[in-house]
Amino acid sequence: EVQFLASRGYAVLQPNFRGSGGYGEAHAKAGEGAIGRQMQDDLDDGMDWLVEQGMVDAARVCVVGASYGGYAALWAVTRNPERYRCAASFAGVTDWDRILKYDARFFSRSGLRRWRSTIQGDSSFDMDSVSPLKQASRLTRPVLIAQGQEDTVVPPQQAAAYVHALKSAGKPHEFVSYEKEGHGFDDPANLADWLKKLEAFLAKHNPA
């Protein structure tokens, strides 16, 4: 996807925000309780750095991601519409409380408590305040949402509920569903279709 977007004339930043794996324990632990907060700040800081370097125009930035990155894209335009013109999300989380309930089937009781603590941090923190679904009324930027209907990591109900909320609120959005895909693309034809739709969406809302 990075190569595809670059070939269409876009500068692409692929940030390793706190919580990312492969950068040591301290970097991973820094992401605990930081979803929608400091982890999102890292994306904003990366954009600011590119602007300072003269590599991008601050008024012409969109966010594209998948899975957690899909969440970060949707949350970026919801939290900071003044920074980002649009967002595209494949298999992104839209409701953290729902995903934690869904994840409960994969954990022991103690494991689930640790996982919730990793996501939520302080137990008093309201995850609705950083969930795109629960904050759909705040959305002012166009979003592109894609979802594999056989996804067992981020279930399709996450996208379905979000799209319903956007429709009900009259928010700008496009939605594409892939019936036999999971948490990624197995069929090259579907991947090609997604990239074409992504290209058209970006060309409409943030031409290179």
Side-chain angles (χ1 to χ4, degrees):
E1 287 189 354
V2 171
Q3 293 174 1
F4 176 82
L5 292 170
S7 75
R8 266 55 182 175
Y10 292 99
V12 182
L13 173 68
Q14 200 171 17
N16 295 304
F17 42 79
R18 72 192 73 191
S20 301
Y23 295 90
E25 186 177 359
H27 190 73
K29 281 187 171 294
E32 294 183 1
I35 282 176
R37 292 154 278 174
Q38 295 95 331
M39 288 173 74
Q40 207 72 28
D41 295 340
D42 293 341
L43 303 184
D44 296 342
D45 291 345
M47 191 202 91
D48 289 343
W49 181 81
L50 287 176
V51 172
E52 290 169 5
Q53 300 302 308
M55 297 176 67
V56 302
D57 179 351
R60 298 172 62 208
V61 182
C62 284
V63 192
V64 178
S67 194
Y68 173 81
Y71 159 75
L74 297 176
W75 188 233
V77 290
T78 305
R79 188 179 89 147
N80 295 111
E82 75 284 358
R83 283 179 167 268
Y84 306 108
R85 296 179 71 173
C86 60
S89 166
F90 176 77
V93 173
T94 67
D95 185 333
W96 285 109
D97 277 338
R98 288 191 189 194
I99 201 70
L100 286 167
K101 289 176 182 176
Y102 174 80
D103 287 347
R105 71 190 68 188
F106 305 115
F107 289 94
S108 65
R109 185 173 297 180
S110 60
L112 181 62
R113 283 197 299 268
R114 288 193 297 273
W115 178 234
R116 176 173 281 277
S117 178
T118 296
I119 300 299
Q120 186 174 14
D122 186 334
S123 60
S124 66
F125 182 78
D126 182 6
M127 294 305 293
D128 285 354
S129 69
V130 293
S131 293
L133 172 63
K134 299 300 177 60
Q135 302 297 323
S137 63
R138 295 171 55 185
L139 185 69
T140 58
R141 299 299 194 185
V143 295
L144 171 63
I145 305 120
Q147 181 69 47
Q149 293 304 307
E150 294 183 1
D151 194 339
T152 58
V153 179
V154 177
Q157 290 84 354
Q158 287 274 318
Y162 186 55
V163 169
H164 177 75
L166 296 180
K167 285 181 178 178
S168 298
K171 299 299 182 178
H173 71 281
E174 298 176 30
F175 176 59
V176 56
S177 173
Y178 295 96
E179 293 301 320
K180 294 184 179 181
E181 297 289 7
H183 200 60
F185 289 101
D186 291 326
D187 186 340
N190 286 335
L191 175 58
D193 181 76
W194 163 241
L195 292 177
K196 288 178 183 177
K197 285 183 169 59
L198 177 60
E199 181 181 17
F201 176 81
L202 293 175
K204 179 179 179 181
H205 299 291
N206 193 39

